[in-house]
Amino acid sequence: MTEIWETTDPADPRFALAATGLLGEFNAAGILTAGDVHVARAVGLLTREADDEVLLAVALACRAVRSGSVCLDLAGAAGSVAAAAGEDDAVAALPWPETGRWAAALAASPLVEHGVVRWEHGLVYLDRYHEQESQVLRDLAERAARTPPPVPEALAPVLHRVFPGEQYAEQREAGLRTAGQWTTVLTGGPGTGKTTTVAGLLVALRAQHPVDGPPLRVALTAPTGKASARLQESLGEATRRREGEPDRFTDEERTWLAGLQSMTLHRLLGRRPDSETRFRHHRGNRLAADVVVVDETSMVSLTMMARLLEAVRPDTRLVLVGDPDQLSSVEAGAVLGDLVAGFAPRADSPVVALRTSHRFGDRIGALARAVRDADADEALEILASGDDAVHWVADEQPSAAIRAATLPSALAARDAARSGDAAHALRVLETHRMLCAHRDGPAGVEHWNRRIEAWLAAETGDAVHDPAYPGRPVLVTANDYALGLYNGDSGVVVLTDDGPRVAFPTADAAPTLVAPARLGAAQTMHAMTIHKSQGSQVDEVTVLLPDEGSRLLTRELFYTAVTRARRRVRVVGSEDAVRAAIGRRAQRASGLAVRLRDAP
C-alpha cells in the first residue's frame, strides 16, 4: 500500500489488531500494513529492541521496499509517505519522531548491532537489500579494477565501416569506448541509436575474435519476454539496408546477428523451481558468454542486478543498455538511474551516453525531450501544435475520441482472427495500443477494456464475455516456463481448424498457438498499464492521463508512455494533468548512487 486506507472494519487483513504505540497509530492511519507491523515486532523480539521509534523505522523500511525503494530515507520519511499517499495534512498530523533523536536511537539499537537492520548515510535498510546493494558495488569495483580488455588497432576500421560518416560519429565513439572496458552503461533516449550501436559493436568484436578459437559467445537478454523479443527485432532493423546509404553490414554479418537468440534474464540465469531470486548460474557457475548485452536495464531491479553481476565472468564484456528517464522496475530499486547518477562525477565512469536523435522531424521525440527536461510549457505547445504525429485530447468526456482511436484496430484484429490469419492479427496488435496509469477506476485498464469490448460487441454482435472470442488481445502476466511464455508477452485469439487458439509471435515466421484453457495468468489487452508497456513499441499510442491528483502521475510515467509510439501519440488529459505529470518525479530511496560516488 502507498496510500491511506480506512480500517473501520477490524476484520480487514491490513489491520494489525494487537499493534500498540506508534506501530498501532501508523497502522490505523493506513500508512503501515499488518505485514509491516508484524515484521517490525518480530525482529524487535529477536534482538530485544523495544524502542517504539526504532520499530517504526523498521516497519517504514518494509513499506519503502513495497513502494519500490531499497531503503528508508529517515529525514524525508514523512514527506515521501505524504507524496505517495496524496494526504499531506493527514500524514503530517501523525506523531513523527524528531529526526535527530530518531537517528540516534537507530544508531544505538541492537537491531543495527546485530546486523538485522543497516544504518548508513541517513538510510535505514533491511539487511537483505543492503547486502544486495553492497554486492553490486563490490562486483562493479572488481570489474573496473581489472586490466581493461585489449582493443586491437584493426577494430577502428570495422567501426568506421558499420558507422560511416559524421552522422554515426557518436555511435562509432561509443563502440570504441565499450570495446575498451569490461562494463559499459550505454544510455540514450528514443531514436539515439542504442541498438544500432550494439549491433555494430558486436560485429566489430566478432571481426577481431581469434579465428582459430571458439566463436564469440554473445548473450542477449532483457527483463521481460516482450523486451527480449523487441531487442532481437531491433537488431534486425539496425542492420537493414537503407536506400541512399552505403551497405554497412555484409550478408554474412546480418545472418550471424539474426542467429543470436535473445532471452529473458530469468531464462539466461537459469530459473530454479524452488526460488524466484536464486538461479543455476551464480558465482560458482558463471555464464559462458564473452559478451552480455542487457536491454531495457531501467526495468532491472536491485535483486536481479545482483544476481546478474554474480553470474557474469569478470572477463566478460557487460553492456547495460537503457534509458534512465523511463520508469524503474516494479520491484525495489532504480539501478540504471543510480548508476548514471553515481558515476557522473567520476573520471573512471563507464557511462556512454548517446544524445543525438536520428529521427528527423520527430515531434514525438521533441515531446519526450520536453517531458524529460520538465518543460511543461514546451510540452503543451507541442501537444497543441496540431502536428499529425502528436495529438492532444483535452475533453472532459473523452469517450468518443478513445472509441475512434481504439475500435478500428480492435475490429481489424477481429476480422483477421476470424479468417484464421494469425500473423496478420498479430501485426494489427502492433498498430495501436491504449495505455493507462491505473489498473482500476474510471481511468484504469479494467474499465477501458470493458468499454472497448462493449463497443466491439455493439459493432459485431460477438459474445465478448467468452474469453476465447476471436480477436481478443491477450497479455501474459506471469512466467509460464512450460509453455515458454513470459510476463509481458502478448498474443491474440484466432480461429483455427482445431478451434480458438491464442497466437503468440516468435522469432521465425510461424506464430506459436496455445489453447486458451492452457493459459494461466493472462488478461485482456485492449488497454494496458504504462508499466506493462515497457520494452515494447507500437505504431500509435493513446495515453490516458488520470486526474492531476493521482499519485501515479509522474514525469517518468508520462515519458515512458510517450516513447512507446513509433509514429503517432495521442495524449488524453487536461492541461492540469499534463503539468502535474511533468512536474512530479518518481522518488525512490537508494544508497547506490551516493555509495558509488564515494567509492575509491
Side-chain angles (χ1 to χ4, degrees), residues 420-506:
D421 192 341
H424 182 57
L426 287 169
R427 286 195 296 272
V428 171
L429 286 189
E430 302 303 308
T431 61
H432 180 269
R433 190 72 40 81
M434 181 174 177
L435 303 180
C436 304
H438 292 265
R439 287 191 297 269
D440 304 309
V445 165
E446 294 296 330
H447 171 80
W448 286 101
N449 270 325
R450 290 193 298 269
R451 290 290 298 273
I452 295 167
E453 285 185 328
W455 293 331
L456 190 61
E459 286 283 327
T460 64
D462 289 351
V464 295
H465 60 273
D466 181 352
Y469 69 82
R472 179 197 177 208
V474 173
L475 177 69
V476 176
T477 56
N479 294 340
D480 188 327
Y481 298 97
L483 292 177
L485 298 175
Y486 300 91
N487 186 9
D489 285 351
S490 58
V492 60
V493 176
V494 298
L495 295 183
T496 72
D497 293 339
D498 298 319
R501 293 292 184 268
V502 185
F504 292 93
T506 59

Side-chain angles (χ1 to χ4, degrees), residues 519-587:
L519 282 183
Q523 62 190 34
T524 302
M525 195 189 68
H526 290 294
M528 69 188 304
T529 62
I530 297 169
H531 270 94
K532 287 288 187 182
S533 74
Q534 284 185 272
S536 64
Q537 280 196 311
V538 295
D539 292 340
E540 183 176 335
V541 163
T542 296
V543 183
L544 177 61
L545 298 180
D547 291 340
E548 62 270 18
S550 169
R551 62 186 175 82
L552 294 182
L553 197 56
T554 64
R555 188 182 311 163
E556 292 82 358
L557 184 97
F558 193 17
Y559 176 87
T560 300
V562 167
T563 54
R564 297 312 90 203
R566 295 190 189 102
R567 298 174 184 170
R568 194 167 194 252
V569 62
R570 179 184 296 100
V571 175
V572 181
S574 67
E575 178 178 338
D576 289 342
V578 172
R579 288 190 180 277
I582 294 174
R584 186 183 298 142
R585 295 297 306 272
Q587 299 295 332

Side-chain angles (χ1 to χ4, degrees), residues 33-45 55 58-59 62 111 116 126:
T33 65
D36 302 330
V37 172
H38 295 327
V39 169
R41 293 178 65 198
V43 298
L45 288 171
L55 297 182
V58 175
C62 294
L111 282 170
V116 177
L126 303 179

Side-chain angles (χ1 to χ4, degrees), residues 239-259:
T239 60
R240 190 176 64 247
R241 290 185 178 89
R242 289 173 174 80
E243 189 175 348
E245 289 189 10
D247 198 358
R248 301 183 293 122
F249 297 89
T250 67
D251 288 340
E252 192 274 336
E253 288 168 345
R254 288 190 182 89
T255 300
W256 176 72
L257 283 171

